mmCIF file of all heavy atoms in Angstrom:
data_model
loop_
_atom_site.group_PDB
_atom_site.id
_atom_site.type_symbol
_atom_site.label_atom_id
_atom_site.label_comp_id
_atom_site.label_asym_id
_atom_site.label_seq_id
_atom_site.Cartn_x
_atom_site.Cartn_y
_atom_site.Cartn_z
ATOM 1 N N VAL A 72 -2.918 -23.102 -14.733
ATOM 2 C CA VAL A 72 -1.624 -22.451 -14.556
ATOM 3 C C VAL A 72 -1.099 -22.820 -13.169
ATOM 4 O O VAL A 72 -1.807 -22.702 -12.177
ATOM 5 C CB VAL A 72 -1.750 -20.915 -14.709
ATOM 6 C CG1 VAL A 72 -0.407 -20.241 -14.476
ATOM 7 C CG2 VAL A 72 -2.319 -20.558 -16.080
ATOM 8 N N ARG A 73 0.155 -23.274 -13.125
ATOM 9 C CA ARG A 73 0.789 -23.690 -11.873
ATOM 10 C C ARG A 73 2.059 -22.866 -11.632
ATOM 11 O O ARG A 73 2.651 -22.332 -12.562
ATOM 12 C CB ARG A 73 1.194 -25.162 -11.940
ATOM 13 C CG ARG A 73 0.061 -26.116 -12.192
ATOM 14 C CD ARG A 73 -0.770 -26.296 -10.928
ATOM 15 N NE ARG A 73 -1.636 -27.459 -11.034
ATOM 16 C CZ ARG A 73 -2.878 -27.437 -11.446
ATOM 17 N NH1 ARG A 73 -3.418 -26.297 -11.805
ATOM 18 N NH2 ARG A 73 -3.603 -28.519 -11.495
ATOM 19 N N VAL A 74 2.482 -22.835 -10.383
ATOM 20 C CA VAL A 74 3.726 -22.167 -10.009
ATOM 21 C C VAL A 74 4.864 -23.175 -10.115
ATOM 22 O O VAL A 74 4.755 -24.303 -9.643
ATOM 23 C CB VAL A 74 3.635 -21.609 -8.571
ATOM 24 C CG1 VAL A 74 4.969 -21.037 -8.131
ATOM 25 C CG2 VAL A 74 2.526 -20.567 -8.477
ATOM 26 N N HIS A 75 5.945 -22.770 -10.772
ATOM 27 C CA HIS A 75 7.156 -23.579 -10.906
ATOM 28 C C HIS A 75 8.334 -22.739 -10.421
ATOM 29 O O HIS A 75 8.211 -21.539 -10.228
ATOM 30 C CB HIS A 75 7.378 -23.968 -12.378
ATOM 31 C CG HIS A 75 6.314 -24.852 -12.929
ATOM 32 N ND1 HIS A 75 6.392 -26.219 -12.926
ATOM 33 C CD2 HIS A 75 5.121 -24.553 -13.486
ATOM 34 C CE1 HIS A 75 5.310 -26.729 -13.471
ATOM 35 N NE2 HIS A 75 4.510 -25.729 -13.813
ATOM 36 N N SER A 76 9.478 -23.377 -10.247
ATOM 37 C CA SER A 76 10.687 -22.659 -9.850
ATOM 38 C C SER A 76 11.877 -23.249 -10.584
ATOM 39 O O SER A 76 11.958 -24.468 -10.772
ATOM 40 C CB SER A 76 10.900 -22.775 -8.341
ATOM 41 O OG SER A 76 12.124 -22.169 -7.982
ATOM 42 N N ASN A 77 12.797 -22.382 -10.980
ATOM 43 C CA ASN A 77 14.027 -22.851 -11.606
ATOM 44 C C ASN A 77 15.193 -22.799 -10.623
ATOM 45 O O ASN A 77 16.343 -22.898 -11.009
ATOM 46 C CB ASN A 77 14.340 -22.054 -12.874
ATOM 47 C CG ASN A 77 14.604 -20.586 -12.593
ATOM 48 O OD1 ASN A 77 14.736 -20.157 -11.452
ATOM 49 N ND2 ASN A 77 14.683 -19.802 -13.652
ATOM 50 N N GLY A 78 14.890 -22.611 -9.333
ATOM 51 C CA GLY A 78 15.909 -22.513 -8.305
ATOM 52 C C GLY A 78 16.301 -21.079 -7.984
ATOM 53 O O GLY A 78 16.902 -20.816 -6.956
ATOM 54 N N ARG A 79 15.967 -20.154 -8.889
ATOM 55 C CA ARG A 79 16.265 -18.735 -8.655
ATOM 56 C C ARG A 79 14.997 -17.919 -8.500
ATOM 57 O O ARG A 79 14.920 -17.043 -7.648
ATOM 58 C CB ARG A 79 17.088 -18.157 -9.806
ATOM 59 C CG ARG A 79 18.476 -18.739 -9.944
ATOM 60 C CD ARG A 79 19.107 -18.193 -11.176
ATOM 61 N NE ARG A 79 18.078 -18.255 -12.231
ATOM 62 C CZ ARG A 79 18.302 -18.347 -13.511
ATOM 63 N NH1 ARG A 79 19.501 -18.319 -13.964
ATOM 64 N NH2 ARG A 79 17.325 -18.431 -14.382
ATOM 65 N N ILE A 80 14.017 -18.169 -9.375
ATOM 66 C CA ILE A 80 12.767 -17.408 -9.325
ATOM 67 C C ILE A 80 11.591 -18.365 -9.482
ATOM 68 O O ILE A 80 11.727 -19.453 -10.049
ATOM 69 C CB ILE A 80 12.684 -16.335 -10.432
ATOM 70 C CG1 ILE A 80 12.743 -16.990 -11.820
ATOM 71 C CG2 ILE A 80 13.746 -15.276 -10.274
ATOM 72 C CD1 ILE A 80 12.338 -16.078 -12.947
ATOM 73 N N LYS A 81 10.453 -17.921 -8.989
ATOM 74 C CA LYS A 81 9.207 -18.636 -9.238
ATOM 75 C C LYS A 81 8.584 -18.052 -10.494
ATOM 76 O O LYS A 81 8.686 -16.844 -10.732
ATOM 77 C CB LYS A 81 8.248 -18.490 -8.063
ATOM 78 C CG LYS A 81 8.703 -19.230 -6.827
ATOM 79 C CD LYS A 81 7.687 -19.086 -5.719
ATOM 80 C CE LYS A 81 8.107 -19.860 -4.495
ATOM 81 N NZ LYS A 81 7.116 -19.733 -3.407
ATOM 82 N N TYR A 82 7.962 -18.904 -11.292
ATOM 83 C CA TYR A 82 7.314 -18.465 -12.515
ATOM 84 C C TYR A 82 6.070 -19.315 -12.728
ATOM 85 O O TYR A 82 5.809 -20.253 -11.970
ATOM 86 C CB TYR A 82 8.269 -18.549 -13.715
ATOM 87 C CG TYR A 82 8.780 -19.937 -14.009
ATOM 88 C CD1 TYR A 82 8.136 -20.749 -14.939
ATOM 89 C CD2 TYR A 82 9.895 -20.445 -13.364
ATOM 90 C CE1 TYR A 82 8.590 -22.032 -15.209
ATOM 91 C CE2 TYR A 82 10.356 -21.720 -13.626
ATOM 92 C CZ TYR A 82 9.702 -22.504 -14.554
ATOM 93 O OH TYR A 82 10.148 -23.770 -14.822
ATOM 94 N N VAL A 83 5.282 -18.997 -13.746
ATOM 95 C CA VAL A 83 4.053 -19.737 -14.013
ATOM 96 C C VAL A 83 4.164 -20.485 -15.337
ATOM 97 O O VAL A 83 4.822 -20.027 -16.275
ATOM 98 C CB VAL A 83 2.819 -18.811 -14.008
ATOM 99 C CG1 VAL A 83 2.552 -18.289 -12.602
ATOM 100 C CG2 VAL A 83 2.968 -17.650 -14.977
ATOM 101 N N GLN A 84 3.524 -21.649 -15.367
ATOM 102 C CA GLN A 84 3.471 -22.467 -16.574
ATOM 103 C C GLN A 84 2.216 -23.314 -16.479
ATOM 104 O O GLN A 84 1.766 -23.662 -15.392
ATOM 105 C CB GLN A 84 4.706 -23.365 -16.683
ATOM 106 C CG GLN A 84 4.768 -24.150 -17.971
ATOM 107 C CD GLN A 84 6.106 -24.871 -18.150
ATOM 108 O OE1 GLN A 84 6.959 -24.868 -17.274
ATOM 109 N NE2 GLN A 84 6.277 -25.489 -19.296
ATOM 110 N N THR A 85 1.638 -23.649 -17.625
ATOM 111 C CA THR A 85 0.423 -24.454 -17.618
ATOM 112 C C THR A 85 0.743 -25.931 -17.502
ATOM 113 O O THR A 85 1.800 -26.407 -17.926
ATOM 114 C CB THR A 85 -0.412 -24.213 -18.891
ATOM 115 O OG1 THR A 85 0.418 -24.337 -20.035
ATOM 116 C CG2 THR A 85 -1.058 -22.839 -18.871
ATOM 117 N N VAL A 86 -0.224 -26.660 -16.914
ATOM 118 C CA VAL A 86 -0.130 -28.106 -16.765
ATOM 119 C C VAL A 86 -1.455 -28.696 -17.223
ATOM 120 O O VAL A 86 -2.515 -28.311 -16.734
ATOM 121 C CB VAL A 86 0.148 -28.506 -15.301
ATOM 122 C CG1 VAL A 86 0.129 -30.006 -15.130
ATOM 123 C CG2 VAL A 86 1.472 -27.922 -14.832
ATOM 124 N N ALA A 87 -1.385 -29.624 -18.181
ATOM 125 C CA ALA A 87 -2.581 -30.313 -18.675
ATOM 126 C C ALA A 87 -2.313 -31.813 -18.626
ATOM 127 O O ALA A 87 -1.277 -32.279 -19.101
ATOM 128 C CB ALA A 87 -2.897 -29.880 -20.095
ATOM 129 N N ASP A 88 -3.224 -32.544 -18.029
ATOM 130 C CA ASP A 88 -3.079 -33.997 -17.936
ATOM 131 C C ASP A 88 -1.736 -34.396 -17.340
ATOM 132 O O ASP A 88 -1.089 -35.339 -17.804
ATOM 133 C CB ASP A 88 -3.269 -34.656 -19.314
ATOM 134 C CG ASP A 88 -4.615 -34.339 -19.932
ATOM 135 O OD1 ASP A 88 -5.599 -34.241 -19.157
ATOM 136 O OD2 ASP A 88 -4.690 -34.173 -21.147
ATOM 137 N N GLY A 89 -1.273 -33.647 -16.338
ATOM 138 C CA GLY A 89 -0.042 -33.984 -15.653
ATOM 139 C C GLY A 89 1.234 -33.610 -16.390
ATOM 140 O O GLY A 89 2.325 -33.910 -15.935
ATOM 141 N N ARG A 90 1.135 -32.946 -17.530
ATOM 142 C CA ARG A 90 2.345 -32.559 -18.274
ATOM 143 C C ARG A 90 2.353 -31.050 -18.474
ATOM 144 O O ARG A 90 1.320 -30.425 -18.653
ATOM 145 C CB ARG A 90 2.423 -33.280 -19.620
ATOM 146 C CG ARG A 90 1.293 -32.946 -20.529
ATOM 147 C CD ARG A 90 1.342 -33.681 -21.877
ATOM 148 N NE ARG A 90 0.121 -33.401 -22.600
ATOM 149 C CZ ARG A 90 -0.143 -32.283 -23.243
ATOM 150 N NH1 ARG A 90 0.746 -31.315 -23.276
ATOM 151 N NH2 ARG A 90 -1.278 -32.102 -23.873
ATOM 152 N N THR A 91 3.560 -30.470 -18.434
ATOM 153 C CA THR A 91 3.662 -29.028 -18.654
ATOM 154 C C THR A 91 3.442 -28.724 -20.132
ATOM 155 O O THR A 91 3.764 -29.527 -21.003
ATOM 156 C CB THR A 91 5.043 -28.497 -18.213
ATOM 157 O OG1 THR A 91 6.063 -29.234 -18.877
ATOM 158 C CG2 THR A 91 5.225 -28.619 -16.711
ATOM 159 N N THR A 92 2.852 -27.572 -20.397
ATOM 160 C CA THR A 92 2.528 -27.185 -21.772
ATOM 161 C C THR A 92 2.973 -25.741 -22.023
ATOM 162 O O THR A 92 3.380 -25.041 -21.105
ATOM 163 C CB THR A 92 1.008 -27.297 -22.027
ATOM 164 O OG1 THR A 92 0.348 -26.353 -21.185
ATOM 165 C CG2 THR A 92 0.477 -28.685 -21.741
#
Side-chain angles (χ1 to χ4, degrees):
V72 178
R73 301 284 195 266
V74 174
H75 295 267
S76 175
N77 64 10
R79 294 174 316 207
I80 61 166
K81 290 182 178 180
Y82 61 94
V83 292
Q84 185 171 5
T85 50
V86 175
D88 302 325
R90 62 181 173 77
T91 55
T92 64

